Amino acid sequence: HLLGTFTTFHAAGGARTDNIRRLAAVLDGTWVAPGAQLSVNRRSGPRTCTAGYLPAGTIVRGELVDTCGGGVSQVGTTVLNAAFFAGVTLDEWQPHSFYISRYPPGREATLSYPQLDVAVTNDTDGWLLVRTATTPTSITVEVYGRPRWSTVRAEHSERSEPRPFATTVRAAEDVPVGEERVVQPGGDGFALTVRRIRTAGPAGTPPEVERWRTVYAPQQRIVEVNPADVPAVVAPPAADGAASDG
């Protein structure tokens, strides 16, 4: 039986897409015994350039920079959601530090070998089979097995605790005077709660409800301008009698 499936989308072409397809191929056809755990990191091993992964965008200290294997968090997110709707135990997953709009808020995961993983346990009484499929613009993960739950659904709270983003301006010699280059768009931070509601057994059986709360930091907006256009930083006036090192 198909227990859970999920599809996420991405732009066609580029190193990021190659990395997604490489990791998806590693996971395709994975069998998980009853009581066993599927760990994306253990299954793939280090996702290095020598292993065939390419440099692509990765969040490092709040900024997207290229690292080997960048982009594979999309595979982790897709696995997480397929497992979410399959109703199996979600052992380990960590949302991104700031929200990425191509993913469902509160139901997305970052990957970084070996610290940040997506790991789930097969708590059914039969084997699970994980299948993956890719197109030039998408990845789909399907989880097959023996049904335990009659329905599995997600509910999202309203967003709360808004935190506005800030803009960082930095110099770049190749930007013409009077123009700017947007390196990273900004995005406000917020908090929300996701609930997974699973129902099983005869009518009238109370559903099992799980809750996860996610707090996203603001995504800073980064722009580059010509050095002549970098805003001057004005120091606050010194108090009377205060010394300054100049």
Side-chain angles (χ1 to χ4, degrees):
H1 298 269
L2 177 62
L3 303 183
T5 181
F6 203 76
T7 299
T8 59
F9 299 89
H10 54 75
R16 187 176 185 279
T17 298
D18 287 348
N19 292 337
I20 289 171
R21 299 185 74 168
R22 180 175 292 275
L23 181 54
V26 169
L27 296 173
D28 187 38
T30 298
W31 288 92
V32 187
Q37 184 187 72
L38 167 64
S39 158
V40 173
N41 279 346
R42 286 201 302 271
R43 184 69 177 171
S44 73
R47 295 177 290 272
T48 62
C49 285
T50 55
Y53 291 89
L54 303 174
T58 303
I59 299 176
V60 179
R61 292 185 293 275
E63 181 178 352
L64 284 169
V65 298
D66 285 347
T67 66
C68 291
V72 296
S73 291
Q74 181 147 359
V75 180
T77 292
T78 314
V79 170
L80 169 68
N81 278 275
F84 183 103
F85 290 109
V88 298
T89 299
L90 308 179
D91 299 318
E92 182 180 349
W93 54 286
Q94 173 67 48
H96 288 84
S97 56
F98 56 73
Y99 175 55
I100 300 173
S101 60
R102 62 175 164 264
Y103 303 139
R107 291 192 353 248
E108 48 86 18
T110 182
L111 288 174
S112 179
Y113 187 91
Q115 297 89 355
L116 299 176
D117 197 4
V118 172
V120 303
T121 290
N122 176 8
D123 56 4
T124 74
D125 58 1
W127 285 73
L128 296 180
L129 171 63
V130 178
R131 300 304 311 266
T132 68
T134 59
T135 73
T137 59
S138 71
I139 171 175
T140 297
V141 175
E142 298 173 330
V143 178
Y144 292 87
R146 184 171 298 174
R148 178 182 177 189
W149 307 99
S150 58
T151 63
V152 180
R153 60 188 177 89
E155 288 186 353
H156 295 74
S157 70
E158 295 293 329
R159 299 183 184 185
S160 61
E161 303 175 30
R163 299 170 60 193
F165 67 88
T167 298
T168 297
V169 179
R170 62 193 187 194
E173 296 283 353
D174 61 332
V175 177
V177 174
E179 298 182 13
E180 70 175 24
R181 177 170 58 215
V182 178
V183 177
Q184 179 171 287
D188 292 341
F190 59 91
L192 86 163
T193 298
V194 173
R195 302 199 312 163
R196 179 167 71 167
I197 304 171
R198 303 179 292 182
T199 58
T205 301
E208 293 195 14
V209 180
E210 300 164 288
R211 294 173 176 82
W212 295 274
R213 185 173 185 270
T214 301
V215 179
Y216 289 109
Q219 177 186 0
Q220 66 172 331
R221 182 174 184 265
I222 302 174
V223 298
E224 293 179 338
V225 300
N226 188 275
D229 295 325
V230 174
V233 177
V234 179
D240 291 343
S244 172
D245 291 334

